[in-house]
Amino acid sequence: MIKTNIKKQSFIKGALILTAAGILIRILGAVYRIPLGRMLGDEGLGIYAVPNQFYLLLFTISSAGIPVAVARLVSEKIASGQYRDAYTTFRLARATMLTIGLVFSFLLFFGAQWLVDTGIVANPNSFYGLRAVAPIVFFAALTASYRGLFQGIQNMTAVAVSQVADQVMLVIGTITFSYLLLPQGLAIAAAGANLGALPGAMAASMIMLYYYWRERREFKEWRQHKSNLGNESNWQIFKNIFSTALPISFASVAMAITGIIDNKLIIDRLQLVGYTQQQATAFYGQFNQMAYSFINIAIAFALSLGTSLVPSVAEAYAAKDYEKIKQQTAQGLRLAIIFALPASAGLFVLASNLTLFIFDNKQAGVPLAYVAFSIVFWSIHLVTSGVLQGMGKVIIPVRNLLAGIVFRIAFTYFLTPGPLGIRAAALATVGMFTISSILNILTITKLVGFKFRLYKTIIRAGIATVIMALGVLEIYNLLYIFTGSNNLATCAGIFFGAMIYGLAVIAGGILTPDELKRIPKIGTAAAKMAKIIKKT
């Protein structure tokens, strides 16, 4: 058996690397929407959002489940010494994703007019944006294949670097193209914003190719290695990839389709109660672009945890180490909830203040306050889905998510035209992830005997969250009275809220010194501080 020399990280360290990248990406994603939102307005953001939903759908169909499948299968095969099969898994997945990505890029470009003519796209102004995002599908598919390989060998650094480069270039491109094309009208400027994602997608592909080239000697050894267990045929490996990837892709496709349905439902249903198409598009922009900017930052850690758990759980499952799976599940859930609870509470109490500060749009705080409640359940869904995918039970989280999606569509359809308005779509999101996360936990409990410890997992962090939320409100109100500045009071509330929660978590023993030590770079110092606080 050969020994891989490629840098490998624990699932917690890998999750923290991806989280650092994810938070930076989502902060950049929120920050660039400030000038973009002020250039395009909420109506322009609504036009800009629609092509992104179709890009997400086609990218998801072409590749979304394959990186997870590659990560899981590569991890399993390395654990059993089947290095040649591990490399063949990646090679076949890459060829498939390149082919499908190219086909879908052409389909979106030449099918844009049909989408508008048939009314599938509710606002015809999104036509140019649909064509602008078409080539991004190809580059995103290429990048995803390499990310699956590096996730499989539990080296998240390459993945994180490509993600950050992608977002940095996207921010620059989006703002630049939108600004330059603004004199041509709102529809063209929004399309320019859509086109701004192309430089980032290309940069991400180049970076992943560089990391692959850097490890080329290692992968050459993999190709030449013969396992004692024998090597699978290409056809068998191909079937293994797609038996794992298709259910995961189906879940992602369902989410992407739900986003498109949301666009159609929200805009059409709001017009039933007297809003114009422009007003309804503006409400959709507030919900999908402004409110979701904050939510995407808040779920970054849970998303990273879920991604890192797939290869780690797969390795334990292959060894039939169910105790390790239970331990990783409990740890992943607890860490996700510790981060999700204060994020949810903070966004709820400061919703309108935040959207006024960031987007100069106080009204966007209405859907944000309601959708903030989804963060905890969304985080649980992401972690538990990663555990189930790692165990090879890829259909189960799909089935559970579909149950939530049915609820979301029905809730949005029936209640959006009523008094709730856009708040119905926000609450529908909360309900969707509540259903899927509970079903996921029940399934893991049945499979490996996992026990969800309510007090240790939620109640103690919940108490710290309540203390933080009350502190944030008090600090905001006091500072606003003295300064009259919403921006200053909001920033102070966020800063001191984080301090209050951090101290409450350490003082309450919610995170132990041993757990803090595992955090890269700052872990040792944080653990020492925790011991000092507990002694005082």
mmCIF file of all heavy atoms in Angstrom, residues 355-373:
data_model
loop_
_atom_site.group_PDB
_atom_site.id
_atom_site.type_symbol
_atom_site.label_atom_id
_atom_site.label_comp_id
_atom_site.label_asym_id
_atom_site.label_seq_id
_atom_site.Cartn_x
_atom_site.Cartn_y
_atom_site.Cartn_z
ATOM 1 N N THR A 355 -30.791 45.999 7.392
ATOM 2 C CA THR A 355 -31.079 46.246 5.973
ATOM 3 C C THR A 355 -31.041 47.738 5.648
ATOM 4 O O THR A 355 -30.675 48.131 4.542
ATOM 5 C CB THR A 355 -32.441 45.657 5.558
ATOM 6 O OG1 THR A 355 -33.476 46.208 6.378
ATOM 7 C CG2 THR A 355 -32.432 44.143 5.701
ATOM 8 N N LEU A 356 -31.400 48.581 6.636
ATOM 9 C CA LEU A 356 -31.277 50.028 6.443
ATOM 10 C C LEU A 356 -29.808 50.415 6.347
ATOM 11 O O LEU A 356 -29.411 51.222 5.502
ATOM 12 C CB LEU A 356 -31.944 50.770 7.599
ATOM 13 C CG LEU A 356 -31.882 52.301 7.561
ATOM 14 C CD1 LEU A 356 -32.589 52.843 6.318
ATOM 15 C CD2 LEU A 356 -32.485 52.898 8.832
ATOM 16 N N PHE A 357 -28.984 49.815 7.206
ATOM 17 C CA PHE A 357 -27.550 50.100 7.228
ATOM 18 C C PHE A 357 -26.859 49.612 5.951
ATOM 19 O O PHE A 357 -26.101 50.343 5.316
ATOM 20 C CB PHE A 357 -26.944 49.432 8.466
ATOM 21 C CG PHE A 357 -25.439 49.444 8.530
ATOM 22 C CD1 PHE A 357 -24.712 50.555 8.124
ATOM 23 C CD2 PHE A 357 -24.749 48.347 9.009
ATOM 24 C CE1 PHE A 357 -23.326 50.569 8.189
ATOM 25 C CE2 PHE A 357 -23.373 48.341 9.079
ATOM 26 C CZ PHE A 357 -22.652 49.459 8.663
ATOM 27 N N ILE A 358 -27.140 48.380 5.561
ATOM 28 C CA ILE A 358 -26.428 47.775 4.437
ATOM 29 C C ILE A 358 -26.998 48.207 3.085
ATOM 30 O O ILE A 358 -26.253 48.561 2.171
ATOM 31 C CB ILE A 358 -26.453 46.237 4.549
ATOM 32 C CG1 ILE A 358 -25.763 45.778 5.835
ATOM 33 C CG2 ILE A 358 -25.809 45.592 3.333
ATOM 34 C CD1 ILE A 358 -24.296 46.129 5.917
ATOM 35 N N PHE A 359 -28.318 48.160 2.953
ATOM 36 C CA PHE A 359 -28.943 48.380 1.641
ATOM 37 C C PHE A 359 -29.725 49.687 1.538
ATOM 38 O O PHE A 359 -30.316 49.959 0.494
ATOM 39 C CB PHE A 359 -29.886 47.216 1.316
ATOM 40 C CG PHE A 359 -29.199 45.892 1.186
ATOM 41 C CD1 PHE A 359 -29.369 44.901 2.140
ATOM 42 C CD2 PHE A 359 -28.350 45.639 0.113
ATOM 43 C CE1 PHE A 359 -28.734 43.669 2.021
ATOM 44 C CE2 PHE A 359 -27.709 44.419 -0.012
ATOM 45 C CZ PHE A 359 -27.895 43.430 0.938
ATOM 46 N N ASP A 360 -29.754 50.458 2.632
ATOM 47 C CA ASP A 360 -30.574 51.671 2.662
ATOM 48 C C ASP A 360 -32.024 51.349 2.333
ATOM 49 O O ASP A 360 -32.711 52.078 1.629
ATOM 50 C CB ASP A 360 -30.021 52.715 1.676
ATOM 51 C CG ASP A 360 -30.598 54.109 1.928
ATOM 52 O OD1 ASP A 360 -30.979 54.383 3.087
ATOM 53 O OD2 ASP A 360 -30.669 54.915 0.982
ATOM 54 N N ASN A 361 -32.475 50.200 2.847
ATOM 55 C CA ASN A 361 -33.834 49.723 2.567
ATOM 56 C C ASN A 361 -34.376 49.071 3.834
ATOM 57 O O ASN A 361 -34.135 47.904 4.108
ATOM 58 C CB ASN A 361 -33.819 48.717 1.409
ATOM 59 C CG ASN A 361 -35.213 48.375 0.918
ATOM 60 O OD1 ASN A 361 -36.127 48.172 1.696
ATOM 61 N ND2 ASN A 361 -35.364 48.294 -0.395
ATOM 62 N N LYS A 362 -35.109 49.831 4.612
ATOM 63 C CA LYS A 362 -35.622 49.321 5.887
ATOM 64 C C LYS A 362 -36.689 48.253 5.681
ATOM 65 O O LYS A 362 -36.835 47.332 6.481
ATOM 66 C CB LYS A 362 -36.200 50.470 6.704
ATOM 67 C CG LYS A 362 -36.548 50.096 8.140
ATOM 68 C CD LYS A 362 -36.912 51.327 8.963
ATOM 69 C CE LYS A 362 -37.156 50.929 10.408
ATOM 70 N NZ LYS A 362 -37.461 52.126 11.250
ATOM 71 N N GLN A 363 -37.428 48.343 4.580
ATOM 72 C CA GLN A 363 -38.526 47.413 4.322
ATOM 73 C C GLN A 363 -38.033 45.976 4.150
ATOM 74 O O GLN A 363 -38.738 45.023 4.461
ATOM 75 C CB GLN A 363 -39.295 47.852 3.071
ATOM 76 C CG GLN A 363 -40.627 47.152 2.887
ATOM 77 C CD GLN A 363 -41.418 47.724 1.728
ATOM 78 O OE1 GLN A 363 -40.919 48.551 0.959
ATOM 79 N NE2 GLN A 363 -42.663 47.295 1.586
ATOM 80 N N ALA A 364 -36.789 45.804 3.668
ATOM 81 C CA ALA A 364 -36.234 44.455 3.491
ATOM 82 C C ALA A 364 -36.053 43.739 4.826
ATOM 83 O O ALA A 364 -35.889 42.514 4.860
ATOM 84 C CB ALA A 364 -34.905 44.523 2.752
ATOM 85 N N GLY A 365 -36.078 44.483 5.907
ATOM 86 C CA GLY A 365 -35.980 43.869 7.229
ATOM 87 C C GLY A 365 -37.198 43.038 7.586
ATOM 88 O O GLY A 365 -37.121 42.170 8.471
ATOM 89 N N VAL A 366 -38.320 43.277 6.916
ATOM 90 C CA VAL A 366 -39.538 42.511 7.208
ATOM 91 C C VAL A 366 -39.351 41.033 6.877
ATOM 92 O O VAL A 366 -39.517 40.171 7.746
ATOM 93 C CB VAL A 366 -40.759 43.106 6.473
ATOM 94 C CG1 VAL A 366 -41.985 42.217 6.669
ATOM 95 C CG2 VAL A 366 -41.034 44.528 6.967
ATOM 96 N N PRO A 367 -38.985 40.656 5.623
ATOM 97 C CA PRO A 367 -38.744 39.234 5.370
ATOM 98 C C PRO A 367 -37.533 38.693 6.125
ATOM 99 O O PRO A 367 -37.510 37.521 6.509
ATOM 100 C CB PRO A 367 -38.529 39.168 3.849
ATOM 101 C CG PRO A 367 -38.147 40.544 3.448
ATOM 102 C CD PRO A 367 -38.875 41.460 4.375
ATOM 103 N N LEU A 368 -36.523 39.545 6.365
ATOM 104 C CA LEU A 368 -35.327 39.077 7.083
ATOM 105 C C LEU A 368 -35.672 38.638 8.503
ATOM 106 O O LEU A 368 -35.180 37.600 8.974
ATOM 107 C CB LEU A 368 -34.259 40.179 7.116
ATOM 108 C CG LEU A 368 -33.006 39.863 7.940
ATOM 109 C CD1 LEU A 368 -32.320 38.610 7.414
ATOM 110 C CD2 LEU A 368 -32.045 41.055 7.914
ATOM 111 N N ALA A 369 -36.505 39.400 9.187
ATOM 112 C CA ALA A 369 -36.856 39.049 10.563
ATOM 113 C C ALA A 369 -37.518 37.681 10.648
ATOM 114 O O ALA A 369 -37.299 36.928 11.605
ATOM 115 C CB ALA A 369 -37.778 40.123 11.154
ATOM 116 N N TYR A 370 -38.309 37.337 9.647
ATOM 117 C CA TYR A 370 -39.028 36.065 9.664
ATOM 118 C C TYR A 370 -38.142 34.905 9.184
ATOM 119 O O TYR A 370 -38.134 33.832 9.787
ATOM 120 C CB TYR A 370 -40.290 36.154 8.803
ATOM 121 C CG TYR A 370 -41.389 36.932 9.471
ATOM 122 C CD1 TYR A 370 -41.400 38.327 9.450
ATOM 123 C CD2 TYR A 370 -42.416 36.283 10.148
ATOM 124 C CE1 TYR A 370 -42.403 39.051 10.073
ATOM 125 C CE2 TYR A 370 -43.433 37.003 10.784
ATOM 126 C CZ TYR A 370 -43.416 38.387 10.744
ATOM 127 O OH TYR A 370 -44.412 39.097 11.373
ATOM 128 N N VAL A 371 -37.376 35.139 8.112
ATOM 129 C CA VAL A 371 -36.551 34.051 7.579
ATOM 130 C C VAL A 371 -35.361 33.764 8.498
ATOM 131 O O VAL A 371 -34.743 32.696 8.406
ATOM 132 C CB VAL A 371 -36.076 34.386 6.146
ATOM 133 C CG1 VAL A 371 -34.886 35.342 6.150
ATOM 134 C CG2 VAL A 371 -35.724 33.107 5.391
ATOM 135 N N ALA A 372 -35.036 34.679 9.404
ATOM 136 C CA ALA A 372 -33.939 34.455 10.354
ATOM 137 C C ALA A 372 -34.161 33.203 11.188
ATOM 138 O O ALA A 372 -33.204 32.531 11.588
ATOM 139 C CB ALA A 372 -33.783 35.679 11.264
ATOM 140 N N PHE A 373 -35.415 32.863 11.431
ATOM 141 C CA PHE A 373 -35.715 31.684 12.248
ATOM 142 C C PHE A 373 -35.312 30.383 11.539
ATOM 143 O O PHE A 373 -35.226 29.334 12.177
ATOM 144 C CB PHE A 373 -37.204 31.641 12.592
ATOM 145 C CG PHE A 373 -37.630 32.701 13.559
ATOM 146 C CD1 PHE A 373 -38.391 33.784 13.134
ATOM 147 C CD2 PHE A 373 -37.257 32.639 14.898
ATOM 148 C CE1 PHE A 373 -38.775 34.771 14.027
ATOM 149 C CE2 PHE A 373 -37.644 33.622 15.799
ATOM 150 C CZ PHE A 373 -38.400 34.693 15.365
#
